[in-house]
Amino acid sequence: MATTETKVSSSSSGSSAAGLSWARVCKECGQQHEGQDSHLYEYQDEVDDELVCHICLQPLLRPMDTPCGHTYCFHCLSNFLKEQDFCPVDRQRLQLHQCRPSSLLVRNLLDKLTVMCPHNDECQQQMQRCELHPHLHNRCPAFRRLREEAEKRKRPSWNELKGRKGDGESSGDAKHSATQSRNPSRDQPEPGLINPAYEESEDDNTPLRSSLVAEANVVELFREPEEELGFRIVGGKDTPLGNIVIQEIVRDSLAARDGRLAPGDHILEVNDVSLASVPHTRAVAVLQQPSLLRLTVMQEKGFKTRDPRSDHHHSSSITSHSPHGNATSNHNPGTVLQVTLMKSQRSEPLGIKLIRKSEESGVFILDLLSGGLAAKDGKLRNNDKVLAINGHDLRHGTPESAAQIIQASEVRVNFVVMRPAECQEEGGSSREGQHGRAARRAPEPQYFRRQSTYMKDPPGGFSSQEKTVSLKKEPRLSLGITIAGGRDCRSRLPVYITSVQPVGCLHRDGTIKRGDVLLSINGVDLTQLTYNEAVSALKAQTAQSQVVLRVIQTLSEDSEEETEAANKDELDAVDDSRDDILYWTPLWTRWLGLPSHMHWCRDIVLHKTNNESWGFSIVGGYEESHGQQPFFIKTIVPGTPAHFDGRLKCGDEIVAVNGATTVGMNNSSLIPMLKLQKNKVTLTVVSWPGSLV
């Protein structure tokens, strides 16, 4: 069998760490190469020709099989097909969407190829190709040194990184804003932007904070046809949020498995298309492009303190401190612990069972095996939430990804966990308090979810209209609609229509559309029912010969695009599979126009000490140019009370603070109210699910 030697020379690969910078080195392969180029590896053995790409003549990276039976690197093939429309080997007609990832067997063979650490002046380790990434981030001394040097340098502030874009700017090229000339006006807050998260305390003993640390990063995701990226977005130029923000990462999705995106990330560009000044529906369309997506995102890293005392490391292997600054406070939702476990050898198991929970994202410790290393150490406990392992963020990770990090680690495994407070949360059930934060949230439907009594107008540009359809029909004839939602679903949504089937009488009438929210049928109120209650009511009333159906349709000023999307929905619904119909959900913007009496809200109680911020920023309030706008959560800062509590989401609407309505408030009235809450604040919020892409 023909073989070829595929080693990258030291001179071309930059094997020496000297002269490298953290900004220029690839975080995946450790080499210096352009962002669009393939990763570089130093292979130590001859590689079978069957595992070599016939375009770059290097071992395959992300191999793709063509219908004609050839295999190429994904990058090589996609770049080739941008200029040509045929297979490079046999010149048969070919398009990228016809290709499929290679089999698991081929990918495993490629992952097992032996490579050397690229920084071989300081690190001469060899490993399988799939182990190079964890080696670089957990064990390589040269890579660690580059990262530490970069962290010591002063980073630009959030404002400098993302820039301040006026309404007249069209490029939205925020990733270059850090190099632009610094304009003093950029230090002024955006109109309507309230930053209680960024307020520095006037107490003399408060550590001084610099600007919020943020990084602009590029994330590439490749998805199969019809595969979802697996995250929800909020925002858009037609909403008070302005930016496109990730609200949530869907469990076990492509984005969750990739692990680089997180809630709160601001999406600046997609495949070089700026999202800085596009409406929400356009952003969704851009993110639904097939194949490769190259996302430029702004990711917040938390506050950077200027208190030199914070730079000192504790010598103890366990450091206990509250995320709110006081581990002994009776009001803290949890305590953050740093725990280091030392294995006698790399293969020694830790004796930890990890699980996920249905009501909360992240990884939790289910059990410590008797006699295991973690049980003997005694510092980790059942129900601890794993925030990070060896520096890898697992706030929205999976047990599988946590296990991979542990297996790839050397003898030292560093855990950062949050332990739920043992005290009872004020305002909660008397049965709460002894089972941690997850148990305290169990009675949420009774204690924290209810119909909103705060009357307000929707955001500017959004409205709704009621529609009534009166039909005379045969008792056996179906209305021909499918529904979803209900006040028992996760987001406590009203019941809405997911499809109007062409066989039903409502399709012939044409008034009722996909996405309409049901109000009543024959006078029976449907707005506060669970899903099963709504199904029973519809079945009972549909059996009658006369049916009067009332629905509400939300509208926006972006009417042309919304109309086109609605028409497309109607056409697509005819061909949709049963699963597509069941799981279809409206865009986030569709919920914004609903009248307030249809909102459900919940109370979120946050606790902190006097000398720290709440950890969120808000847009909205009264402005002369836009009138009265609701207050929305725009940013949740890592390492703050709002972040560690975990219930607030970007895009949530704040309708009251400590029971006082925010309707009619402007910035100058809400900021003092938040500042006055020294230790505790109760936020009443309305939360709509973001648009799934």
Side-chain angles (χ1 to χ4, degrees), residues 222-230 253-255 257 289 693:
F222 177 78
R223 62 176 168 195
E224 299 286 344
E226 308 301 325
E227 182 183 17
E228 293 175 339
L229 292 174
S253 65
L254 174 61
R257 294 192 300 271
Q289 298 177 64
V693 295

Side-chain angles (χ1 to χ4, degrees), residues 235-390:
K237 78 164 188 180
D238 51 337
T239 73
L241 284 177
N243 297 349
I244 299 296
V245 185
I246 296 178
Q247 181 195 57
E248 180 182 9
I249 304 293
V250 179
R251 176 184 296 170
D252 296 329
S253 65
L254 174 61
R257 294 192 300 271
D258 179 82
R260 288 175 290 176
L261 296 175
D265 289 355
H266 290 230
I267 304 178
L268 307 179
E269 290 184 353
V270 178
N271 291 351
D272 297 324
V273 176
S274 172
L275 299 188
S277 58
V278 301
H280 186 85
T281 51
R282 172 60 180 160
V284 171
V286 171
L287 286 164
Q288 288 176 338
Q289 298 177 64
S291 300
L292 178 67
L293 285 179
R294 182 180 173 86
L295 310 181
T296 303
V297 296
M298 188 68 68
Q299 299 180 313
E300 295 176 352
K301 304 300 181 183
F303 286 120
K304 184 177 182 181
T305 181
R306 295 199 299 268
D307 184 357
R309 291 172 298 176
S310 64
D311 296 332
H312 296 164
H313 297 283
H314 296 275
S315 58
S316 171
S317 62
I318 175 170
T319 303
S320 175
H321 65 279
S322 166
H324 308 160
N326 183 358
T328 63
S329 170
N330 292 329
H331 301 296
N332 292 331
T335 300
V336 173
L337 305 173
Q338 298 178 13
V339 178
T340 299
L341 298 179
M342 300 296 295
K343 300 186 286 185
S344 58
Q345 56 184 356
R346 182 177 176 183
S347 59
E348 181 184 4
L350 301 183
I352 301 174
K353 286 186 178 180
L354 301 173
I355 62 166
R356 67 188 73 190
K357 294 184 177 181
S358 60
E359 74 276 7
E360 187 174 357
S361 63
V363 182
F364 295 82
I365 296 177
L366 172 66
D367 192 20
L368 302 177
L369 300 182
S370 178
L373 179 60
K376 291 178 180 178
D377 180 80
K379 299 182 180 73
L380 294 175
R381 297 183 189 174
N382 296 351
N383 204 37
D384 283 353
K385 180 174 182 178
V386 181
L387 303 179
I389 299 177
N390 287 348

